[in-house]
Amino acid sequence: MSSSFLQSIERGRTAVAPSVLSADFTRLDEEIRTVEKAGADFHHLDVMDGHFVPNITFGPMVVEAIAGIATRPLITHLMISDPAKYAEAFVRAGSSVVSFHYEAVAEGHQDIIRSIREAGSAPGLAVNPDTPLSSVRHLLGDIDLLLIMTVFPGFGGQKFIVEGLDKIREASALRDEEGLSFVIEVDGGIKPDNAGSVREAGGECLVAGTAVYRSGDYAAAINAIRG
Ligand code: DX5
Ligand code: ZN
C-alpha cells in the first residue's frame, strides 16, 4: 500500500521540514505562511507531554489550527508516553504523517502503526540516538517514515550528534537491501554546515527548527539545508 505521503515524496530531492517549535508563537499564522513562501516542503510539529520528554508543547487543537492554515503537509512528531491512546487524535487533527517513538512503549508497536494507517495518516517511527536500528528492524516494513533523532528529544537548539550519520547510512542500506520504501527523516541540530553530511548519508527529509526560524532569512536557510 502506498500512502499519499509516500506519493508526495520526490525521491532524490531533499525535502526540508522546518520545526514549528522554534517559530514565534505570537505570530504563528504569519510564520507558517512565511516559511511556506520560503520553500518549506513540510511542517514538522513537535508534540511533547512532559513525561516522555522533560518539556511540554502543544496538542491536537494546535495541530488542527495549523492544518487549517498550512498548504504543505504536516509531519507530527509525538514525543509522548502513550501514543496508543493519542495518535488517532493527531490523525484527525490533520497530520499527513504521525510518528511516535519506539522507546515510548514496551510492546504493541505494530498495533499503533496499524491504527495510524487505518485512521488515515502515514505511520512514522522515531528512534532516539541510543536506540540501535536492530531494535526497530522488524517494524521497518510497516512504516512510511523512519525518524532518526540526532539529538535527545525535548528541546530545539541542541548540538547535532554526529554518530547519527552511521545510523542514517545503515537505514538507507537496509532499505535498499530489503526493497522497503520508508522515507528517512533526520531531526536535531541540523544546520546549513552539517546538512551536506546528512544528505550524503541518506537523509531525505531534513528537519530544522532554530536553523530556519531563528535565521534572518528563511529562504536562504532552507535552500542551504536542501543543498
Ligand atoms: C527536538 C525536536 C526537534 C527540534 C529541532 O526534540 O524533536 O524537532 O525542534 O530543533 P533544532 O533544529 O533547533 O535542533
Ligand atoms: Zn522533532
Side-chain angles (χ1 to χ4, degrees), residues 126-137:
V127 285
N128 277 343
D130 56 359
T131 298
L133 210 56
S134 56
S135 303
V136 300
R137 197 175 167 152

Side-chain angles (χ1 to χ4, degrees), residues 88-135:
E88 280 184 50
F90 290 93
V91 175
R92 288 195 300 273
S95 312
S96 288
V97 181
V98 174
S99 317
F100 66 100
H101 268 264
Y102 170 74
E103 304 84 5
V105 290
E107 54 190 27
H109 298 88
Q110 230 114 23
D111 295 335
I112 301 171
I113 290 169
R114 195 176 319 114
S115 76
I116 293 169
R117 198 182 291 285
E118 284 176 5
S121 293
L125 189 67
V127 285
N128 277 343
D130 56 359
T131 298
L133 210 56
S134 56
S135 303

